[in-house]
Amino acid sequence: MKQLLVSVILLSFLQAYAWSGILNFTAYHNSAQVDAALNQLAATYPTMTQISTIGTSIEGRPIKVLKIATNPAINDPAKGDVVFVALHHAREWIAVEVALYLADEMLARYASDAVLQADMNNLQIWIVPIVNPDGFAYTQSTDRYWRKNRRNNGDGTFGVDPNRNWGYQWGLLSGSSAMTSSETYHGTGPFSEPEVVTIRNFLQGLTNLKCFLTYHSYSELFLRPWSYTTTDPPGESTLRSVVQRSIARIAAVHGHTYSETIGYTSSGEATDYVWNEMRSAPFTPELRPTATGFGGFAPPASEILPCCEENLAAATALVHDAGRTGVWIKDYNGDTGAEPSAVWTGSGWSAAFWESPDIWTVPAVLNQGAVVTLNVHVRNNTGVTQSNVTVETYYTDPRISLEFPNPDAVLISTQIVTVPAGGTTITMPWTVPVGTNSWGELHWCVGVVIKHDQDMPLTTQVNRSSNIGCRNFNTTTIVESNMLMVAAENFLNVTAELQVKVNEESLPRGWTVHLPPLAELQKMSARECCASERKARLLNAKGLILEPGQNVYIPVRVTVPKDSKVGTEADLRIHGALLPLVAGKREPVGNGYTYHLVVGKH
């Protein structure tokens, strides 16, 4: 009787955690079996999947991606992109299993899980189970614990560490090695390895990247940028919130509590590159087990399924973040919650997304040192009351390429609120800064970040997340030929083209705006002809070329007719974008400013 009871309990446990997909996870898949598994998924779900070869390894093996979408044959820019990759490091076999399991389960549950289905309908999900196919094959035939790819280094050694070969902060000896024999050898240069170039080019080709996960093992960790340093990155509080939520979701499945830190640095790492270049949430789950030594890379097959199940919980939470608008804030009056809310058209942003109507002050006119009431309206698109919604409010110097939070932002308030289905307005005191900002103007920007357990922001860029909104606050008295000043900084780690456009449509008749010609701006930036200028000509760049970290101040002259009445008001919108000076797709990032102008005495 006791034996029967044990059997019933065991059967009940297995049924609770039995996978619902079609693949088998009782043993590790080898290279051929991974291909067979992908083909099996594609054959079972032909209207939801597509397999593509996106590149080849240094030994000529294909690197494949499985696309999951309602229209997989079409690249739909209206949908968000979520990317899962595995096996940068060849010996980390369990990462391959997690990648396959994610595909298997999401496809199997699509028809019966209404929440997951609604999320997936708005997304294109991409799964690359093997980034390093040569190394993976070598672990099966020759050396089970081989880590790197299989490049012949020409000195009797083989292999470059693919996860030290990405271009951001590449080659730092504190986080990688210049020795070809080292397990962390970073290669001869950034992106020297075709496997890494393949994933980079694939990511750059996506139109709306929301989230990027790269699976590794082992130690049971859930890591976020930065990896090359222990210094916090821009958006640290947002990334940390997502990590902590992910860890809680993982622990709820089998009781394994992953940690947040790994205890060493790694330069030229994938998630650092994605966060720096794309500001799309990137994470590194370090999978089971917690054991130390080489045995950690070869956990028993009995660990595969529970590891997959707990990581599915974290992955589908991120899919939900990316897939639908929950609690949110408008970027401009016509904003519907779509992400992105505005795009660069080549002649300015499609909407002035720095003018959130959901952020305002009472009184409306700001005076230095005054305490005003700051109002934030939080919207709710879920149809039901949402509890424990975190609302973080900041102010900062406005610059082109504003993001929230950013290292220069000052926290005004953090509130945890309940948001009914119709939305709610919260208030807080704000002491208006005394003195001028870094431009010498009385001009600030307030930003709001909204976070909820079931709806996290996956970027820091206002126009790319419905969870983030901002508003310029500025009043400038103008007279004949009044001069404003626009400042911009190239925060990218590559040379970039700055484009500045002025929207004069909202100005009264007879008002004119003048920006210096490009030749004059180049003199103002104190630049000499160099390789960047030659590259700019080849790319037909029309704007000002800025090196990484370079600032520029651009005077904007506003002229009003002499008969303009004192007190006449108008809004002047200035749009700005940075376009990386790179070949191929050049993704613009940026922001803008709205000056509220009031005519003073002539």
Side-chain angles (χ1 to χ4, degrees):
M1 187 67 177
K2 188 177 293 185
Q3 182 179 0
L4 177 60
L5 179 62
V6 171
S7 298
V8 170
I9 292 173
L10 179 60
L11 178 60
S12 176
F13 176 83
L14 291 175
Q15 287 175 339
Y17 290 104
W19 64 93
S20 54
I22 60 174
L23 302 182
N24 191 312
F25 294 95
T26 59
Y28 288 100
H29 292 78
N30 61 29
S31 299
Q33 291 166 341
V34 171
D35 275 349
L38 293 177
N39 290 334
Q40 187 178 358
L41 290 172
T44 305
Y45 306 100
T47 63
M48 290 285 293
T49 61
Q50 184 178 66
I51 300 171
S52 302
T53 295
I54 56 175
T56 55
S57 66
I58 199 163
E59 292 183 343
R61 290 182 174 86
I63 299 172
K64 296 183 178 181
V65 63
L66 176 72
K67 180 182 180 182
I68 301 174
T70 54
N71 50 353
I74 300 172
N75 185 21
D76 188 347
K79 294 187 175 185
D81 296 295
V82 177
V83 178
F84 301 98
V85 305
L87 211 80
H88 270 77
H89 295 144
R91 61 195 177 195
E92 299 170 7
W93 289 7
I94 200 168
V96 177
E97 305 305 315
V98 169
L100 290 176
Y101 183 85
L102 295 181
D104 193 24
E105 282 298 299
M106 285 191 283
L107 286 166
R109 298 182 185 195
Y110 175 81
S112 59
D113 187 329
V115 173
L116 181 61
Q117 181 180 121
D119 296 337
M120 292 172 64
N121 285 346
N122 293 326
L123 297 173
Q124 299 177 135
I125 297 172
W126 310 82
I127 297 177
V128 182
I130 305 173
V131 172
N132 181 4
D134 298 343
F136 188 44
Y138 194 71
T139 62
Q140 295 160 33
S141 65
T142 308
D143 182 354
R144 171 63 184 85
Y145 297 109
W146 185 258
R147 170 183 170 97
K148 301 183 285 183
N149 72 357
R150 290 296 298 165
R151 174 177 289 281
N152 185 341
N153 294 320
D155 59 359
T157 68
F158 284 81
V160 171
D161 182 343
N163 207 37
R164 301 296 186 275
N165 191 240
W166 289 75
Y168 182 62
Q169 300 295 344
W170 174 87
L172 301 182
L173 299 185
S174 59
S176 64
S177 176
M179 295 178 59
T180 59
S181 59
S182 171
E183 293 272 52
T184 60
Y185 173 49
H186 51 53
T188 56
F191 298 115
S192 62
E193 305 312 298
E195 298 89 351
V196 181
V197 170
T198 292
I199 303 302
R200 179 201 64 186
N201 291 350
F202 170 72
L203 294 175
Q204 289 181 343
L206 300 177
T207 56
N208 195 7
L209 179 63
K210 299 285 189 181
C211 188
F212 171 77
L213 268 72
T214 171
Y215 289 98
H216 288 254
S217 71
Y218 57 94
S219 291
E220 299 188 4
L221 309 169
F222 207 97
L223 306 176
R224 61 185 182 271
W226 297 128
S227 296
Y228 79 93
T229 178
T230 56
T231 302
D232 289 344
E236 160 64 14
S237 65
T238 293
L239 293 173
R240 183 174 65 250
S241 294
V242 177
V243 164
Q244 291 173 344
R245 193 273 310 272
S246 299
I247 289 172
R249 294 294 175 94
I250 289 171
V253 179
H254 293 300
H256 281 228
T257 301
Y258 286 34
S259 299
E260 295 183 49
T261 57
I262 199 168
Y264 61 82
T265 56
S266 53
S267 62
E269 187 269 345
T271 63
D272 282 5
Y273 175 84
V274 170
W275 189 241
N276 183 71
E277 295 289 328
M278 303 175 181
R279 285 297 193 272
S280 299
F283 303 104
T284 300
E286 291 275 0
L287 305 169
R288 292 191 181 201
T290 57
T292 58
F294 279 105
F297 296 115
S302 59
E303 292 278 8
I304 295 173
L305 190 56
C307 182
C308 290
E309 289 167 341
E310 62 198 13
N311 279 278
L312 175 68
T316 52
L318 286 164
V319 165
H320 187 60
D321 294 334
R324 283 189 291 170
T325 299
V327 286
W328 66 292
I329 184 169
K330 279 192 172 186
D331 290 335
Y332 61 97
N333 279 319
D335 188 10
T336 62
E339 299 174 344
S341 59
V343 295
W344 185 255
T345 65
S347 59
W349 293 99
S350 57
F353 57 89
W354 52 90
E355 295 183 355
S356 173
D358 292 341
I359 304 170
W360 71 96
T361 63
V362 178
V365 177
L366 304 182
N367 295 308
Q368 295 185 66
V371 178
V372 299
T373 299
L374 182 62
N375 297 262
V376 175
H377 184 69
V378 182
R379 299 175 183 269
N380 183 353
N381 203 42
T382 67
V384 297
T385 297
Q386 298 294 305
S387 302
N388 298 315
V389 177
T390 299
V391 182
E392 299 171 349
T393 309
Y394 303 84
Y395 79 87
T396 188
D397 274 8
R399 294 184 176 92
I400 289 178
S401 300
L402 278 174
E403 54 181 330
F404 290 96
N406 69 65
D408 297 320
V410 178
L411 182 66
I412 298 173
S413 169
T414 298
Q415 297 188 39
I416 299 176
V417 301
T418 296
V419 183
T424 190
T425 298
I426 62 174
T427 62
M428 66 213 71
W430 176 36
T431 303
V432 179
V434 176
T436 62
N437 62 24
S438 59
W439 310 354
E441 296 179 330
L442 305 177
H443 190 185
W444 300 276
C445 188
V446 170
V448 176
V449 180
I450 302 171
K451 297 186 287 191
H452 184 256
D453 183 66
Q454 297 182 30
D455 185 14
M456 292 287 187
L458 298 178
T459 183
T460 54
Q461 294 180 353
V462 175
N463 64 309
R464 292 178 53 206
S465 176
S466 62
N467 297 71
I468 310 174
C470 73
R471 182 166 180 173
N472 284 183
F473 286 95
N474 167 258
T475 299
T476 300
T477 301
I478 67 170
V479 295
E480 173 69 13
S481 299
N482 192 72
M483 191 75 75
L484 305 175
M485 192 67 69
V486 173
E489 176 185 0
N490 179 8
F491 68 93
L492 305 175
N493 73 328
V494 296
T495 305
E497 173 191 357
L498 172 67
Q499 293 188 4
V500 177
K501 304 290 182 182
V502 176
N503 183 346
E504 300 183 55
E505 295 176 1
S506 59
L507 295 180
R509 182 177 298 178
W511 291 37
T512 60
V513 181
H514 174 75
L515 271 72
L518 180 60
E520 186 175 333
L521 289 176
Q522 288 172 335
K523 291 179 181 178
M524 294 166 54
S525 67
R527 289 182 51 84
E528 298 179 358
C529 184
C530 62
S532 295
E533 262 77 14
R534 290 190 289 272
K535 188 172 185 180
R537 288 193 293 271
L538 289 173
L539 294 174
N540 197 31
K542 304 296 186 183
L544 179 65
I545 306 304
L546 298 178
E547 298 297 338
Q550 185 179 4
N551 294 285
V552 64
Y553 292 82
I554 302 174
V556 180
R557 186 178 301 278
V558 180
T559 303
V560 300
K562 294 184 181 297
D563 59 353
S564 296
K565 293 182 179 179
V566 173
T568 301
E569 301 182 19
D571 287 329
L572 174 64
R573 296 181 178 91
I574 300 178
H575 301 228
L578 290 168
L579 284 79
L581 206 63
V582 295
K585 182 181 178 182
R586 303 174 64 207
E587 190 69 36
V589 292
N591 205 312
Y593 317 98
T594 299
Y595 291 96
H596 185 66
L597 308 177
V598 182
V599 176
K601 293 181 179 179
H602 294 272

